[in-house]
Amino acid sequence: MVMSLDNIRGLVLALSSSAFIGSSFIFKKKGLKKAGATGVRAGSGGYSYLYEPLWWFGMITMIGGEIANFAAYAFAPAILVTPLGALSIIVSAVLAHFVLDEKLHIFGILGCILCVMGSTTIVLHAPKEKDIASVKQVWSLATEPGFIAYTCVVVFLVIFLIIQLAPRYGDTHMVVYIGICSLMGSLTVMSVKALGIGIKLTFEGKNQFIYAQTWLFAAVVVICCLLQLNYLNKALDIFNTAVVSPVYYVMFTTLTIFASMIMFKLSI
């Protein structure tokens, strides 16, 4: 893949995003722990963390990272940007070791190394994504039978996890909450990609916000992000940050790559 100027911009934004997001896990975890000491824990369905300044600082840091990530999707392919989130694992794992006293053992270190190696391999061999001229073109890709089938499967699995498995196994099996976040995350990325392209083209003088599809993609981003935020808070409150971060990253990245392959008809 030839590294164009847009791809380089996307890479820089994605790397900056990972640094912010990785550190945000730590601030949010500390905020959740403080809130849980005086109120109902997030893992038990409480929202006392909303009154905790440290949690909000973590949220602001994460929002800053997501804005950079959002911009990255407007410049570079999703299949290239998403794997660079591996840096957030290193940042959160190291900070969790020193700040939260969540010890990173040899298998954790090995896991982080493997994530980085896998991400580097994907980035180096990422296929060139087709040029997108408008949000309507993304909508055309999103409404093809293959991606509609994928979306239906994702929605069904998320509903099943939320209704059937989360109440029974959420507090003991991390994969339930992380699965909800990752499945919704794959749809979020596709919508963010469309919205990012829309904003980029609008700044270039081709207004994309006159189309209903742009606002629909924006609504999907908001809904999916709120769901992810709720269940990620539950996972962080109950389980070790050094475990939540890499598991979330691997599941989220795998599903995003799979969704990208279906939507943009990419081959690895």
Side-chain angles (χ1 to χ4, degrees), residues 182-198:
S182 300
L183 286 164
M184 295 304 293
S186 67
L187 297 183
T188 304
V189 168
M190 297 302 100
S191 298
V192 165
K193 177 70 176 176
L195 195 56
I197 289 170

Side-chain angles (χ1 to χ4, degrees), residues 9-261:
R9 288 171 178 165
L11 288 175
V12 172
L13 287 166
L15 290 171
S16 302
S17 166
S18 295
F20 279 107
I21 291 173
S23 58
S24 74
F25 277 101
I26 307 305
F27 293 119
K28 288 172 68 178
K29 177 74 172 187
K30 287 183 71 70
L32 288 167
K33 289 174 71 174
K34 287 187 68 176
T38 56
V40 181
R41 295 180 57 187
S44 301
Y47 296 94
S48 57
Y49 57 83
L50 293 175
Y51 300 97
E52 179 53 53
L54 198 56
W55 182 86
W56 279 107
F57 184 77
M59 270 301 300
I60 292 170
T61 307
M62 178 169 277
I63 290 170
E66 292 296 350
I67 290 174
N69 201 42
F70 179 89
Y73 283 113
F75 290 102
I79 200 170
L80 189 153
V81 173
T82 302
L84 291 172
L87 178 62
S88 66
I89 296 177
I90 307 299
V91 174
S92 62
V94 171
L95 290 178
H97 180 82
F98 291 105
V99 178
L100 300 177
D101 199 30
E102 296 180 353
K103 300 303 179 184
L104 188 63
H105 300 293
I106 184 64
F107 287 110
I109 296 172
L110 179 61
C112 290
I113 293 173
L114 289 173
C115 283
V116 173
M117 289 176 61
S119 298
T120 303
T121 302
I122 292 173
V123 169
L124 292 176
H125 297 88
K128 180 175 176 57
E129 191 177 90
K130 63 176 68 176
D131 293 329
I132 305 296
S134 68
V135 172
K136 279 194 170 183
Q137 189 176 348
V138 182
W139 177 258
S140 176
L141 293 170
T143 51
E144 290 190 358
F147 194 75
I148 289 177
Y150 174 79
T151 302
C152 290
V153 171
V154 166
V155 171
F156 171 78
L157 289 174
V158 167
I159 292 173
F160 178 74
L161 287 170
I162 291 175
I163 296 176
Q164 293 294 327
L165 299 186
R168 300 178 184 178
Y169 307 111
D171 293 347
T172 54
H173 294 74
M174 178 180 60
V175 73
V176 175
Y177 291 149
I178 298 301
I180 295 170
C181 295
S182 300
L183 286 164
M184 295 304 293
S186 67
L187 297 183
T188 304
V189 168
M190 297 302 100
S191 298
V192 165
K193 177 70 176 176
L195 195 56
I197 289 170
I199 292 174
K200 180 184 175 185
L201 291 173
T202 299
F203 278 118
E204 291 176 355
K206 304 171 185 175
N207 188 8
Q208 299 296 299
F209 286 88
I210 60 175
Y211 304 124
Q213 291 92 332
T214 305
W215 295 103
L216 182 59
F217 281 126
V220 171
V221 169
V222 172
I223 293 169
C224 290
C225 283
L226 289 175
L227 268 174
Q228 288 175 254
L229 180 62
N230 182 52
Y231 287 98
L232 184 58
N233 278 331
K234 290 178 181 290
L236 280 173
D237 187 48
I238 298 170
F239 304 103
N240 193 310
T241 308
V243 177
V244 170
S245 179
V247 172
Y248 178 41
Y249 166 76
V250 171
M251 290 184 66
F252 170 66
T253 302
T254 301
L255 289 167
T256 298
I257 290 174
F258 186 59
S260 296
M261 290 171 63

